[in-house]
Amino acid sequence: MTSASKQYTSTSTTPSGGWGVWLCRLLVGLLFIFSGLIKANDPLGFSYKLEEYFEVFHVTFLNDLALSLSIILCALEMILGFALLIGIRVNAIVWGLLLLIIFFGFLTFYSAFFKVVQTCGCFGDAIPLTPWESFGKDMALLVLVLVLFFNRHRIRPLVSHKAEVRWLVAAVIISLGVGFYTYNFLPVIDFLPYKIGNNIPDEMKTPPGAVPDEFELTYLLKNKKSGATKTVSDKEYLKSGIWKDASWEVQGDPERRLVKKGFEPKIRDLGIQDGQGNDYTQELLSNPFYNLMVVAYDLRHTNVEELGRLNALAINLTQNYNIRTVLLTAASPADAQAFSKKHRLAFEIFHADGVPLKTMVRANPGIILLKNGTVINKWHHHTMPDYDALVKKYLQKQ
């Protein structure tokens, strides 16, 4: 056997770069693709998370770019992960992965340490992580990326040099395309509590026997005679009997700290009021008949043309089937009334906080068909069926 044959035999049994590098390559590549894809499933939701970070770092002037940055960042994760797996442009890709994971690590550490953004959105609403869990995940990823960084010369491509550009272009088109599609036609998989089939009142309930949040009070005590200070918990304060000692006095207000997280309803912040502040939450969510909710949380940036089309649909549904049609918005009563008058809207207008409205449906406006508080269907304004289709599928069967 020639030396060339011996060399081929020894290297053909193991992948290029060795098993360790290949394992890191697979883990990092697949995790970046998964992370980018799960966020690209809901780019509007991820853009809300970016706006939280912009507020923390006092760069709210970037809010108008949040959606574009959301789609680009999601696509970048998928592109980098895919390019790593097939081994193209290795030097640039590994550098990109390293810089990105350092950036993400900084954000998650900042969130955890300063207790600002309490869910980082790393895996969207599919896998909610605490800031410290997110930071731990990023540090584990950083170790894997560093292995790849220092062994990048050992990573070999799986495609020919001529095919690299075609694969890269395809990855860019598909990655950006996913984000644009889900933004315009709602998430492919809905991980939110208002998804089709969910009963909203049930999602707002706390079941009997559910364990509540457990808190601890911490007191700062100061000795009047010696000037010494010490900190004790509420349990220590009572058990030790120090409260009976007149020489010790409490300084300021006690600090309340969450010790153990208890049960929390999936929907806990939804309250619907009319313009006078009267609560209509129960009435609207207990309606035994079909009712159509048009959600336009921000009337300043809603699609007015599509809202006009929905208004015409609402008029027909009300006249012919007595369907209750409402417009839910976070706008002030005065602004909502002025908007309604200007565009001659026929909806009943109700108000709710912007956070639950953004969670209900990822569109502005978006549409939810309810019956007995259950989400029968929901649509982006781009995909809302016309009057005949809606009647045939739902109203003729009731």
Side-chain angles (χ1 to χ4, degrees):
M1 183 180 292
T2 64
S3 59
S5 299
K6 289 179 181 178
Q7 183 181 6
Y8 176 80
T9 302
S10 63
T11 59
S12 61
T13 57
T14 58
S16 58
W19 288 107
V21 174
W22 247 107
L23 181 60
C24 293
R25 182 174 170 181
L26 281 172
L27 289 173
V28 173
L30 292 175
L31 194 58
F32 265 82
I33 292 173
F34 176 75
S35 175
L37 188 60
I38 209 74
K39 290 198 290 289
N41 177 66
D42 183 12
L44 195 55
F46 185 47
S47 74
Y48 299 150
K49 192 60 60 179
L50 291 179
E51 288 176 5
E52 289 185 51
Y53 279 109
F54 294 160
E55 186 173 351
V56 168
F57 292 106
H58 307 291
V59 288
T60 51
F61 61 87
L62 293 175
N63 281 352
D64 290 340
L65 298 174
L67 179 61
S68 299
L69 290 173
S70 169
I71 294 174
I72 291 170
L73 277 174
C74 295
L76 182 61
E77 284 191 76
M78 289 186 279
I79 293 165
L80 290 174
F82 176 75
L84 177 66
L85 287 179
I86 64 173
I88 61 176
R89 304 290 197 275
V90 173
N91 199 52
I93 294 302
V94 174
W95 266 106
L97 289 168
L98 181 61
L99 294 175
L100 202 58
I101 199 61
I102 290 174
F103 175 67
F104 286 158
F106 164 74
L107 289 182
T108 53
F109 174 78
Y110 193 94
S111 296
F113 189 80
F114 293 102
K115 299 179 181 180
V116 281
V117 181
Q118 289 304 290
T119 52
C120 73
C122 301
F123 298 120
D125 291 288
I127 309 175
L129 299 176
T130 66
W132 283 121
E133 289 171 342
S134 301
F135 178 68
K137 180 265 297 178
D138 288 338
M139 291 304 97
L141 257 179
L142 178 60
V143 171
L144 297 177
V145 172
L146 284 173
V147 172
L148 297 173
F149 181 81
F150 291 113
N151 290 276
R152 59 190 185 276
H153 61 282
R154 301 172 63 188
I155 299 175
R156 298 290 179 266
L158 301 181
V159 297
S160 67
H161 183 70
K162 291 183 178 180
E164 284 188 2
V165 175
R166 292 196 297 270
W167 281 102
L168 194 57
V169 170
V172 171
I173 293 173
I174 293 172
S175 299
L176 289 172
V178 170
F180 282 114
Y181 177 85
T182 52
Y183 168 67
N184 284 287
F185 300 100
L186 294 188
V188 176
I189 303 175
D190 193 350
F191 295 104
L192 299 170
Y194 297 92
K195 67 182 179 182
I196 296 171
N198 276 13
N199 183 273
I200 297 176
D202 286 348
E203 299 295 324
M204 298 170 70
K205 293 177 182 175
T206 299
V211 178
D213 290 345
E214 182 182 336
F215 292 92
E216 179 183 78
L217 292 178
T218 303
Y219 296 94
L220 176 62
L221 304 178
K222 183 177 181 179
N223 192 290
K224 297 177 183 178
K225 298 176 181 178
S226 65
T229 60
K230 64 178 177 179
T231 302
V232 296
S233 68
D234 51 351
K235 294 179 181 178
E236 294 170 335
Y237 182 73
L238 294 173
K239 186 177 180 180
S240 65
I242 196 172
W243 55 277
K244 299 177 184 178
D245 189 344
S247 62
W248 289 95
E249 63 179 0
V250 177
Q251 299 291 300
D253 296 323
E255 182 181 341
R256 193 166 184 254
R257 182 175 66 89
L258 179 65
V259 177
K260 187 177 181 181
K261 188 69 179 171
F263 177 85
E264 187 174 74
K266 291 183 180 178
I267 299 175
R268 59 188 185 278
D269 52 2
L270 177 62
I272 302 173
Q273 297 88 31
D274 65 7
Q276 287 72 47
N278 301 308
D279 189 274
Y280 274 80
T281 310
Q282 182 64 27
E283 179 178 322
L284 292 173
L285 296 182
S286 61
N287 186 350
F289 306 104
Y290 284 116
N291 59 306
L292 201 69
M293 286 190 174
V294 175
V295 181
Y297 67 90
D298 186 353
L299 292 178
R300 295 169 302 172
H301 298 101
T302 193
N303 189 311
V304 176
E305 183 178 342
E306 290 295 330
L307 201 55
R309 184 172 69 87
L310 294 172
N311 188 51
L313 175 65
I315 293 172
N316 284 333
L317 290 173
T318 302
Q319 289 177 346
N320 299 325
Y321 287 90
N322 199 30
I323 298 298
R324 190 171 192 177
T325 57
V326 305
L327 174 68
L328 279 181
T329 181
S332 68
D335 289 343
Q337 286 298 331
F339 184 90
S340 178
K341 184 177 180 180
K342 178 180 179 181
H343 298 286
R344 300 179 181 180
L345 300 182
F347 305 107
E348 293 180 77
I349 298 177
F350 293 95
H351 305 268
D353 185 76
V355 173
L357 294 188
K358 290 178 180 179
T359 309
M360 278 186 175
V361 56
R362 300 299 203 199
N364 187 31
I367 307 94
I368 299 179
L369 182 65
L370 287 174
K371 189 176 185 180
N372 252 333
T374 297
V375 180
I376 304 301
N377 211 333
K378 61 198 294 189
W379 300 274
H380 193 285
H381 58 78
H382 288 158
T383 59
M384 181 65 189
D386 60 21
Y387 173 80
D388 291 334
L390 204 63
V391 167
K392 184 177 180 181
K393 186 169 183 180
Y394 300 103
L395 304 182
Q396 287 180 348
K397 297 178 181 180
Q398 64 175 348

PDB file of all heavy atoms in Angstrom, residues 92-105 142 145:
ATOM      1  N   ALA A  92     -15.337  33.515   8.417  1.00  0.00           N
ATOM      2  CA  ALA A  92     -16.307  34.586   8.663  1.00  0.00           C
ATOM      3  C   ALA A  92     -17.469  34.087   9.522  1.00  0.00           C
ATOM      4  O   ALA A  92     -17.948  34.803  10.413  1.00  0.00           O
ATOM      5  CB  ALA A  92     -16.830  35.129   7.335  1.00  0.00           C
ATOM      6  N   ILE A  93     -17.911  32.856   9.264  1.00  0.00           N
ATOM      7  CA  ILE A  93     -19.057  32.316   9.996  1.00  0.00           C
ATOM      8  C   ILE A  93     -18.720  32.123  11.476  1.00  0.00           C
ATOM      9  O   ILE A  93     -19.505  32.489  12.362  1.00  0.00           O
ATOM     10  CB  ILE A  93     -19.510  30.979   9.370  1.00  0.00           C
ATOM     11  CG1 ILE A  93     -20.044  31.207   7.962  1.00  0.00           C
ATOM     12  CG2 ILE A  93     -20.557  30.297  10.236  1.00  0.00           C
ATOM     13  CD1 ILE A  93     -21.199  32.161   7.871  1.00  0.00           C
ATOM     14  N   VAL A  94     -17.569  31.563  11.779  1.00  0.00           N
ATOM     15  CA  VAL A  94     -17.195  31.321  13.172  1.00  0.00           C
ATOM     16  C   VAL A  94     -16.991  32.640  13.910  1.00  0.00           C
ATOM     17  O   VAL A  94     -17.379  32.772  15.081  1.00  0.00           O
ATOM     18  CB  VAL A  94     -15.943  30.426  13.246  1.00  0.00           C
ATOM     19  CG1 VAL A  94     -15.479  30.288  14.675  1.00  0.00           C
ATOM     20  CG2 VAL A  94     -16.247  29.047  12.673  1.00  0.00           C
ATOM     21  N   TRP A  95     -16.390  33.613  13.242  1.00  0.00           N
ATOM     22  CA  TRP A  95     -16.259  34.932  13.847  1.00  0.00           C
ATOM     23  C   TRP A  95     -17.645  35.526  14.149  1.00  0.00           C
ATOM     24  O   TRP A  95     -17.874  36.117  15.203  1.00  0.00           O
ATOM     25  CB  TRP A  95     -15.480  35.879  12.933  1.00  0.00           C
ATOM     26  CG  TRP A  95     -14.005  35.932  13.219  1.00  0.00           C
ATOM     27  CD1 TRP A  95     -12.997  35.384  12.485  1.00  0.00           C
ATOM     28  CD2 TRP A  95     -13.380  36.582  14.336  1.00  0.00           C
ATOM     29  NE1 TRP A  95     -11.782  35.636  13.069  1.00  0.00           N
ATOM     30  CE2 TRP A  95     -11.973  36.378  14.205  1.00  0.00           C
ATOM     31  CE3 TRP A  95     -13.851  37.295  15.416  1.00  0.00           C
ATOM     32  CZ2 TRP A  95     -11.065  36.876  15.118  1.00  0.00           C
ATOM     33  CZ3 TRP A  95     -12.940  37.801  16.344  1.00  0.00           C
ATOM     34  CH2 TRP A  95     -11.568  37.586  16.184  1.00  0.00           C
ATOM     35  N   GLY A  96     -18.563  35.379  13.190  1.00  0.00           N
ATOM     36  CA  GLY A  96     -19.921  35.876  13.384  1.00  0.00           C
ATOM     37  C   GLY A  96     -20.616  35.206  14.552  1.00  0.00           C
ATOM     38  O   GLY A  96     -21.282  35.868  15.365  1.00  0.00           O
ATOM     39  N   LEU A  97     -20.456  33.891  14.665  1.00  0.00           N
ATOM     40  CA  LEU A  97     -21.053  33.150  15.779  1.00  0.00           C
ATOM     41  C   LEU A  97     -20.483  33.613  17.120  1.00  0.00           C
ATOM     42  O   LEU A  97     -21.217  33.786  18.099  1.00  0.00           O
ATOM     43  CB  LEU A  97     -20.809  31.650  15.604  1.00  0.00           C
ATOM     44  CG  LEU A  97     -21.583  30.951  14.489  1.00  0.00           C
ATOM     45  CD1 LEU A  97     -21.019  29.560  14.247  1.00  0.00           C
ATOM     46  CD2 LEU A  97     -23.068  30.863  14.837  1.00  0.00           C
ATOM     47  N   LEU A  98     -19.173  33.825  17.158  1.00  0.00           N
ATOM     48  CA  LEU A  98     -18.522  34.238  18.396  1.00  0.00           C
ATOM     49  C   LEU A  98     -19.012  35.618  18.838  1.00  0.00           C
ATOM     50  O   LEU A  98     -19.361  35.824  20.009  1.00  0.00           O
ATOM     51  CB  LEU A  98     -17.004  34.255  18.211  1.00  0.00           C
ATOM     52  CG  LEU A  98     -16.182  34.655  19.443  1.00  0.00           C
ATOM     53  CD1 LEU A  98     -16.418  33.681  20.591  1.00  0.00           C
ATOM     54  CD2 LEU A  98     -14.692  34.725  19.093  1.00  0.00           C
ATOM     55  N   LEU A  99     -19.045  36.562  17.913  1.00  0.00           N
ATOM     56  CA  LEU A  99     -19.491  37.916  18.248  1.00  0.00           C
ATOM     57  C   LEU A  99     -20.956  37.928  18.670  1.00  0.00           C
ATOM     58  O   LEU A  99     -21.345  38.632  19.612  1.00  0.00           O
ATOM     59  CB  LEU A  99     -19.271  38.853  17.055  1.00  0.00           C
ATOM     60  CG  LEU A  99     -17.810  39.115  16.669  1.00  0.00           C
ATOM     61  CD1 LEU A  99     -17.737  39.949  15.394  1.00  0.00           C
ATOM     62  CD2 LEU A  99     -17.068  39.812  17.800  1.00  0.00           C
ATOM     63  N   LEU A 100     -21.774  37.124  17.979  1.00  0.00           N
ATOM     64  CA  LEU A 100     -23.198  37.089  18.286  1.00  0.00           C
ATOM     65  C   LEU A 100     -23.457  36.498  19.666  1.00  0.00           C
ATOM     66  O   LEU A 100     -24.268  37.022  20.435  1.00  0.00           O
ATOM     67  CB  LEU A 100     -23.938  36.279  17.213  1.00  0.00           C
ATOM     68  CG  LEU A 100     -25.447  36.542  17.061  1.00  0.00           C
ATOM     69  CD1 LEU A 100     -25.715  38.007  16.743  1.00  0.00           C
ATOM     70  CD2 LEU A 100     -26.023  35.657  15.962  1.00  0.00           C
ATOM     71  N   ILE A 101     -22.752  35.427  20.009  1.00  0.00           N
ATOM     72  CA  ILE A 101     -22.997  34.792  21.302  1.00  0.00           C
ATOM     73  C   ILE A 101     -22.447  35.653  22.447  1.00  0.00           C
ATOM     74  O   ILE A 101     -23.013  35.666  23.550  1.00  0.00           O
ATOM     75  CB  ILE A 101     -22.416  33.360  21.337  1.00  0.00           C
ATOM     76  CG1 ILE A 101     -23.078  32.548  22.466  1.00  0.00           C
ATOM     77  CG2 ILE A 101     -20.923  33.379  21.497  1.00  0.00           C
ATOM     78  CD1 ILE A 101     -24.551  32.385  22.344  1.00  0.00           C
ATOM     79  N   ILE A 102     -21.368  36.390  22.196  1.00  0.00           N
ATOM     80  CA  ILE A 102     -20.875  37.330  23.213  1.00  0.00           C
ATOM     81  C   ILE A 102     -21.899  38.442  23.436  1.00  0.00           C
ATOM     82  O   ILE A 102     -22.185  38.837  24.577  1.00  0.00           O
ATOM     83  CB  ILE A 102     -19.507  37.915  22.793  1.00  0.00           C
ATOM     84  CG1 ILE A 102     -18.420  36.840  22.866  1.00  0.00           C
ATOM     85  CG2 ILE A 102     -19.138  39.115  23.673  1.00  0.00           C
ATOM     86  CD1 ILE A 102     -17.079  37.279  22.329  1.00  0.00           C
ATOM     87  N   PHE A 103     -22.481  38.931  22.357  1.00  0.00           N
ATOM     88  CA  PHE A 103     -23.500  39.971  22.446  1.00  0.00           C
ATOM     89  C   PHE A 103     -24.726  39.469  23.205  1.00  0.00           C
ATOM     90  O   PHE A 103     -25.224  40.129  24.113  1.00  0.00           O
ATOM     91  CB  PHE A 103     -23.888  40.422  21.041  1.00  0.00           C
ATOM     92  CG  PHE A 103     -25.017  41.409  20.997  1.00  0.00           C
ATOM     93  CD1 PHE A 103     -24.859  42.683  21.513  1.00  0.00           C
ATOM     94  CD2 PHE A 103     -26.248  41.066  20.441  1.00  0.00           C
ATOM     95  CE1 PHE A 103     -25.905  43.606  21.476  1.00  0.00           C
ATOM     96  CE2 PHE A 103     -27.293  41.969  20.401  1.00  0.00           C
ATOM     97  CZ  PHE A 103     -27.118  43.249  20.923  1.00  0.00           C
ATOM     98  N   PHE A 104     -25.202  38.271  22.844  1.00  0.00           N
ATOM     99  CA  PHE A 104     -26.354  37.693  23.534  1.00  0.00           C
ATOM    100  C   PHE A 104     -26.033  37.434  25.012  1.00  0.00           C
ATOM    101  O   PHE A 104     -26.879  37.627  25.884  1.00  0.00           O
ATOM    102  CB  PHE A 104     -26.787  36.386  22.863  1.00  0.00           C
ATOM    103  CG  PHE A 104     -27.485  36.580  21.542  1.00  0.00           C
ATOM    104  CD1 PHE A 104     -27.538  35.553  20.612  1.00  0.00           C
ATOM    105  CD2 PHE A 104     -28.092  37.776  21.231  1.00  0.00           C
ATOM    106  CE1 PHE A 104     -28.187  35.715  19.398  1.00  0.00           C
ATOM    107  CE2 PHE A 104     -28.747  37.961  20.013  1.00  0.00           C
ATOM    108  CZ  PHE A 104     -28.780  36.926  19.099  1.00  0.00           C
ATOM    109  N   GLY A 105     -24.818  36.974  25.266  1.00  0.00           N
ATOM    110  CA  GLY A 105     -24.413  36.717  26.645  1.00  0.00           C
ATOM    111  C   GLY A 105     -24.420  37.982  27.485  1.00  0.00           C
ATOM    112  O   GLY A 105     -24.845  37.975  28.647  1.00  0.00           O
ATOM    113  N   LEU A 142     -21.141  29.496  24.308  1.00  0.00           N
ATOM    114  CA  LEU A 142     -19.868  30.189  24.110  1.00  0.00           C
ATOM    115  C   LEU A 142     -18.708  29.201  24.160  1.00  0.00           C
ATOM    116  O   LEU A 142     -17.760  29.301  23.351  1.00  0.00           O
ATOM    117  CB  LEU A 142     -19.693  31.272  25.177  1.00  0.00           C
ATOM    118  CG  LEU A 142     -18.385  32.054  25.135  1.00  0.00           C
ATOM    119  CD1 LEU A 142     -18.228  32.776  23.808  1.00  0.00           C
ATOM    120  CD2 LEU A 142     -18.313  33.050  26.300  1.00  0.00           C
ATOM    121  N   VAL A 145     -18.689  27.363  20.885  1.00  0.00           N
ATOM    122  CA  VAL A 145     -18.241  28.240  19.797  1.00  0.00           C
ATOM    123  C   VAL A 145     -16.740  28.481  19.887  1.00  0.00           C
ATOM    124  O   VAL A 145     -16.049  28.552  18.851  1.00  0.00           O
ATOM    125  CB  VAL A 145     -19.023  29.574  19.823  1.00  0.00           C
ATOM    126  CG1 VAL A 145     -18.422  30.567  18.825  1.00  0.00           C
ATOM    127  CG2 VAL A 145     -20.494  29.346  19.494  1.00  0.00           C
TER     128      VAL A 145
END
